[in-house]
Amino acid sequence: MQQLDSTTANPADVVAGGGHFFGIPYGWPLAVAIVVLVVVMWIAREPMHRIVRQTFFFLGYMFARWGSALLDHGRRAREVTNEKIASQRADELQDRMLHLEEKMGKRTEQLARETGPILKKLDKATHELATSANAISDINLEDAAERAFRAALPSMESSRGLSKVEKNIAQNTARTMNERLAPLRPALITIRNESPRLREVADKLVKIEHDFNKNASDVNKAFSEFEEIVRSEDRKKIAARASIVVPWLIAVLITTIALAGVFLNFFLIERPMAEIVGEGARIGGIGLPAFAAVIVIFLEFVTGVILMDSAGFTRLIPAFHSMSANGRRVMLIVSFTFLALFSVMEMTLSIVREQIIEQDRETDRLAAQIIGPVLVAPVPSADAPPATDAAAPSQVPQRANVFGLELSTFAQLILAGVIPWLLAAAALPLETIIRNSVFIVSIFASFALIFLGFICRTISALFKNIGVFVLAIYDFIIFLPLFIQRYVQARRAGDTGSSRLRAKDDDLVLNDRADPKAPKREKSRQPEPEFEKAS
Amino acid sequence: MMRHLAAAACCLSLAILAGCGLVTSTNRSVFFVFDVSGTYVEAVPDATKMANITVAKLLPGDWVGASQISACSFSEKEIILQRQLPTTPSLAAEAKRELFNEFSAYAAQVKSAKYTDIRGAIAQASFELKQRPEEERFIVLFSDMLDDYSKSCDTSEIELDLRGIHVVAANVIKSDPADPQKYLDMLKEWEATVVAAGGTWSLVTSPDLLPKLVTGV
């Protein structure tokens, strides 16, 4: 008879075929076995529940603790990062204030020089104006008019006719008034001339005041922000105000462009470096000239960093912060000299590179010339003479040149001279990249810790719920004897204490409802109730 | 104290790395062997031209040797030249030009031999290359690969040791156009001989392939 697979065949067919379940034949033996199993499970309920609780709830508790710890670390890491960002911002503002203070100090020195002549002019103009004003105020117009009229009377008396008298009066009065007012004219001219000058001087003073006020306002603003950063409790808000990503992206972009220059530089100096260090060896899989070229580029970059730091543009090297101004100046001169030497060296190497290329080309040409047309034709070259006449001097066509160098060589020369300085300039964004990268990594790390904490807490909840589910399934399998047991116990204990008894006995009731009359206690950090129960 | 220890550990690691092959050589040694027996002597000028092209493509620091296949080739007398190129490109270029001249001079005055002791020449080349420190070693054979040993110098039974050596047969002219199978069988036989001796075998028919095979460029 064909044996049926109990796992895949239809149970009805299996029964019909007289099959078995894990070696127990179907029918009454299996029924007895199930009953025995249920009874055994009922008897073993207490230790089995304990095992399940200890396994799942302990794991849940463990993950919960990990989750809490990770969340705690993540939050603390974020706080530390915020503090660092705020400190960094405070440092920046401090630098800015110092810079503005220095600027204002210099401006004050200039101000004394600038305002001295202006004040002299102002004093002179004021004095002249005062003199003119005194002269004007000293003149009694009524008296002058009377005197003029009196002076005109004799001539009026000698005239005849009324109209003539009137005319004469007017003319004489005007002339006399003119004579009397003549001393006033210089004063009036002085007033006319000095007024625009006075306005100009006043404008200058207003501008100076404006500049001064602006600087003072900048200092005040920086100081206010600095004070807020130092004193504010909301470090997150302070940190959020400082932009990290945008300057970082800009710095990365600039550095990438600078790295493209490095790449170009590398190909420019790699080949001629063979003339200095020789060929034939590899260091870590890289050819010796290539390795030497990389080292030279690194040295140029380091010199650039020192130059920028000693010039005060960057603050990458801490030793420069504590160095005296003279020491920094010495370092500036030394690094500048080194960079200039590197520049000259690269220019020389660019010429050597051209010479090597020319030599190689000539060697190839000679080898190809000797081979003749039998095997391979020589590579057609503009400067190569016909292959049949090896001894003939090469007819090199005249090419455009600058200072005796070919245009391409001259371009290489310029490039080689400029690149070390560009590399030095790449140190400027490097500071931002390094500083902000640290912040970005710290922020990401704190988020990662928080996320891991969340995952651990989720796993913890999952384990606890799986434990509860397994216990429920276990009790479901033995529900009949369990029901009978509880019924009997309830009958014995009486109806009054049944619910409490059930709750005490029932593993699935994890958190029994608290007695409303019981005094509320402070929530303290305690182990998980499930774990306590399990242990 | 800890910093000093860390620095010392770094230095030691670097030294160990260097000792373990951090610094390696890229140089190669190439040994040209010209067959001067029988009718192949007429092809020697062309062979030297191929050698010139290969030499032109060698890198500074590479080593070049040359010998000829004659009646009894396993001899220092058959060695034409041995020279290491300087490590700097400009000096290497000058040395290459001198090698061109030496090969040209040799091709101009080469004399024919009665017998063809190819195995002896390979053994001689192998012996010379084994003395060299270079990791990559090549024997470039310019021959029709038809051996013919004299009674006084029969090296047909000598055991060859070609481990670590790449044997390149270049410009193998076809001596009997009427029997291509014989030519192909002969090449297979030589390949089997070289491989059995621990070497690797290549056949170059096009002159421009030889420098590529040797220099890898």
Side-chain angles (χ1 to χ4, degrees):
Chain A
M1 196 175 76
Q2 190 184 0
Q3 281 292 101
L4 289 169
D5 185 2
S6 62
T7 54
T8 55
N10 190 337
D13 299 338
V14 173
V15 172
H20 56 84
F21 182 76
F22 286 107
I24 304 165
Y26 286 111
W28 67 267
L30 185 60
V32 169
I34 288 170
V35 169
V36 169
L37 179 71
V38 168
V39 170
V40 168
M41 280 177 77
W42 175 66
I43 293 165
R45 182 175 180 269
E46 196 58 35
M48 286 303 286
H49 269 227
R50 196 166 290 165
I51 288 168
V52 169
R53 279 197 303 268
Q54 282 183 344
T55 307
F56 286 97
F57 293 168
F58 177 74
L59 282 172
Y61 168 75
M62 206 170 67
F63 273 100
R65 288 295 297 268
W66 286 350
S68 300
L70 285 168
L71 284 171
D72 200 31
H73 279 296
R75 287 188 192 118
R76 216 175 298 155
R78 190 67 216 273
E79 279 168 18
V80 169
T81 309
N82 286 341
E83 188 59 46
K84 280 181 183 170
I85 292 170
S87 303
Q88 174 61 37
R89 182 72 186 137
D91 283 351
E92 279 177 5
L93 286 168
Q94 200 175 2
D95 288 348
R96 184 166 165 69
M97 280 195 294
L98 285 170
H99 173 69
L100 285 170
E101 192 187 327
E102 195 181 349
K103 197 176 159 187
M104 281 177 77
K106 282 180 184 170
R107 191 81 187 98
T108 311
E109 285 172 14
Q110 280 182 352
L111 209 62
R113 285 198 297 272
E114 282 177 12
T115 51
I118 290 172
L119 288 173
K120 273 182 188 172
K121 277 184 189 175
L122 197 66
D123 190 43
K124 191 184 167 194
T126 314
H127 179 71
E128 283 179 3
L129 281 172
T131 312
S132 302
N134 283 336
I136 290 166
S137 64
D138 285 349
I139 292 169
N140 189 342
L141 283 172
E142 286 175 1
D143 182 53
E146 192 184 335
R147 284 187 184 184
F149 190 75
R150 281 178 189 279
L153 270 176
S155 57
M156 281 190 285
E157 283 168 0
S158 64
S159 62
R160 293 173 192 173
L162 193 59
S163 62
K164 277 190 176 179
V165 166
E166 285 173 357
K167 195 177 174 184
N168 208 349
I169 286 170
Q171 280 177 349
N172 283 320
T173 306
R175 190 176 60 246
T176 313
M177 283 293 282
N178 197 21
E179 284 168 6
R180 292 285 168 185
L181 289 173
L184 284 177
R185 292 196 188 282
L188 291 170
I189 289 165
T190 306
I191 289 170
R192 192 181 65 193
N193 291 342
E194 290 301 324
S195 293
R197 276 191 206 167
L198 206 61
R199 194 179 299 125
E200 195 183 321
V201 169
D203 285 346
K204 271 188 184 174
L205 284 173
V206 166
K207 190 173 175 293
I208 288 166
E209 189 202 4
H210 179 261
D211 288 349
F212 217 77
N213 285 344
K214 190 176 172 292
N215 282 341
S217 169
D218 285 348
V219 171
N220 285 341
K221 199 177 158 190
F223 188 75
S224 302
E225 204 177 336
F226 177 75
E227 206 169 15
E228 192 186 347
I229 288 169
V230 171
R231 290 186 181 173
S232 174
E233 293 295 323
D234 192 354
R235 313 308 286 169
K236 195 176 174 183
K237 187 183 156 194
I238 296 293
R241 239 188 251 172
S243 178
I244 297 170
V245 179
V246 174
W248 184 80
L249 284 174
I250 292 168
V252 165
L253 182 72
I254 294 169
T255 310
T256 310
I257 294 166
L259 282 176
V262 169
F263 198 63
L264 191 71
N265 193 25
F266 172 76
F267 283 109
L268 207 61
I269 64 171
E270 186 219 355
R271 204 164 176 183
M273 281 307 284
E275 281 291 334
I276 298 172
V277 296
E279 275 190 83
R282 279 181 186 275
I283 299 172
I286 304 169
L288 190 56
F291 195 81
V294 170
I295 295 292
V296 167
I297 289 169
F298 280 158
L299 286 174
E300 284 173 2
F301 186 69
V302 168
T303 313
V305 169
I306 293 170
L307 180 75
M308 290 297 160
D309 239 49
S310 54
F313 296 133
T314 55
R315 284 172 158 243
L316 285 165
I317 306 167
F320 282 108
H321 300 184
S322 52
M323 201 179 271
S324 65
N326 275 340
R328 283 172 65 172
R329 200 172 297 131
V330 169
M331 288 306 292
L332 178 71
I333 293 165
V334 168
S335 55
F336 186 87
T337 311
F338 270 106
L339 213 55
L341 287 173
F342 274 124
S343 185
V344 172
M345 188 191 83
E346 286 219 13
M347 287 164 82
T348 314
L349 285 178
S350 72
I351 295 173
V352 173
R353 181 175 180 272
E354 274 304 301
Q355 287 173 348
I356 291 170
I357 291 171
E358 199 61 41
Q359 275 178 347
D360 285 353
R361 203 187 297 164
E362 187 66 14
T363 307
D364 286 345
R365 194 180 64 78
L366 280 172
Q369 257 186 1
I370 291 165
I371 197 165
V374 181
L375 294 169
V376 287
V379 180
S381 172
D383 53 354
T388 48
D389 190 9
S394 50
Q395 301 291 318
V396 181
Q398 193 67 34
R399 292 181 185 174
N401 64 71
V402 181
F403 304 123
L405 297 168
E406 277 186 25
L407 280 177
S408 59
T409 314
F410 191 70
Q412 277 185 46
L413 210 63
I414 293 170
L415 200 64
V418 165
I419 279 178
W421 301 100
L422 290 177
L423 270 176
L428 287 172
L430 190 72
E431 187 187 15
T432 311
I433 288 176
I434 291 171
R435 191 187 60 212
N436 289 13
S437 295
V438 171
F439 291 147
I440 289 169
V441 168
S442 302
I443 290 168
F444 271 106
S446 66
F447 278 130
L449 284 173
I450 290 168
F451 180 71
L452 276 175
F454 171 74
I455 294 285
C456 284
R457 295 288 285 262
T458 309
I459 292 169
S460 158
L462 198 71
F463 271 119
K464 285 175 190 169
N465 284 305
I466 288 171
V468 171
F469 179 71
V470 169
L471 291 178
I473 292 291
Y474 191 94
D475 283 357
F476 177 72
I477 293 167
I478 57 166
F479 78 95
L480 194 62
L482 201 62
F483 174 75
I484 294 165
Q485 180 197 358
R486 283 181 184 168
Y487 181 75
V488 172
Q489 280 177 344
R491 284 292 295 271
R492 277 184 194 166
D495 289 337
T496 49
S498 64
S499 65
R500 186 169 294 173
L501 182 71
R502 192 180 69 228
K504 195 180 175 184
D505 189 48
D506 195 350
D507 292 306
L508 301 179
V509 181
L510 296 173
N511 294 310
D512 196 12
R513 189 175 291 174
D515 188 358
K517 287 178 184 173
K520 285 186 180 177
R521 61 176 184 177
E522 287 286 317
K523 193 179 178 184
S524 59
R525 189 180 179 84
Q526 283 185 336
E528 297 286 324
E530 292 85 352
F531 178 69
E532 257 197 346
K533 207 171 183 183
S535 59
Chain B
M1 184 64 184
M2 285 302 288
R3 282 185 183 178
H4 289 299
L5 281 173
C10 281
C11 290
L12 195 66
S13 313
L14 282 173
I16 291 166
L17 278 173
C20 291
L22 185 69
V23 181
T24 52
S25 170
T26 57
N27 291 138
R28 56 184 68 79
S29 46
V30 185
F31 204 97
F32 297 101
V33 182
F34 301 100
D35 190 349
V36 295
S37 63
T39 53
Y40 198 87
V41 73
E42 292 167 13
V44 167
D46 289 343
T48 53
K49 289 166 190 173
M50 281 180 79
N52 279 344
I53 289 185
T54 310
V55 167
K57 296 293 177 193
L58 290 178
L59 295 175
D62 289 349
W63 182 85
V64 180
S67 71
Q68 62 181 14
I69 301 170
S70 61
C72 202
S73 308
F74 191 73
S75 166
E76 281 77 14
K77 288 177 188 172
E78 306 301 333
I79 292 174
I80 303 161
L81 60 91
Q82 282 182 328
R83 181 157 193 180
Q84 181 153 28
L85 300 177
T87 51
T88 52
S90 55
L91 294 175
E94 281 177 27
K96 283 175 189 177
R97 289 175 201 183
E98 286 170 15
L99 282 172
F100 296 163
N101 293 335
E102 286 185 45
F103 279 131
S104 298
Y106 168 71
Q109 54 84 45
V110 65
K111 288 173 186 171
S112 177
K114 285 182 182 176
Y115 298 97
T116 317
D117 178 16
I118 297 177
R119 284 182 83 93
I122 292 174
Q124 175 68 35
S126 168
F127 178 77
E128 294 297 333
L129 287 176
K130 293 278 180 190
Q131 317 301 315
R132 300 296 313 162
E134 289 83 12
E135 284 183 12
E136 284 186 88
R137 295 158 183 169
F138 293 87
I139 295 174
V140 182
L141 294 168
F142 295 103
S143 168
D144 54 6
M145 303 307 287
L146 292 170
D147 45 2
D148 178 20
Y149 302 100
S150 67
K151 286 179 184 174
S152 60
C153 189
D154 186 2
T155 60
S156 59
E157 299 302 321
I158 62 161
E159 200 174 318
L160 294 172
D161 180 13
L162 299 173
R163 280 173 295 177
I165 297 174
H166 196 99
V167 180
V168 183
N171 200 30
V172 184
I173 57 172
K174 298 159 186 79
S175 52
D176 187 4
D179 191 358
Q181 193 56 46
K182 188 183 171 190
Y183 176 77
L184 296 171
D185 289 344
M186 180 262 297
L187 288 176
K188 275 183 187 172
E189 196 179 316
W190 271 111
E191 183 177 0
T193 307
V194 169
V195 172
T200 51
W201 169 266
S202 291
L203 178 72
V204 172
T205 50
S206 175
D208 57 328
L209 282 177
L210 183 59
K212 285 179 187 170
L213 191 73
V214 172
T215 59
V217 180

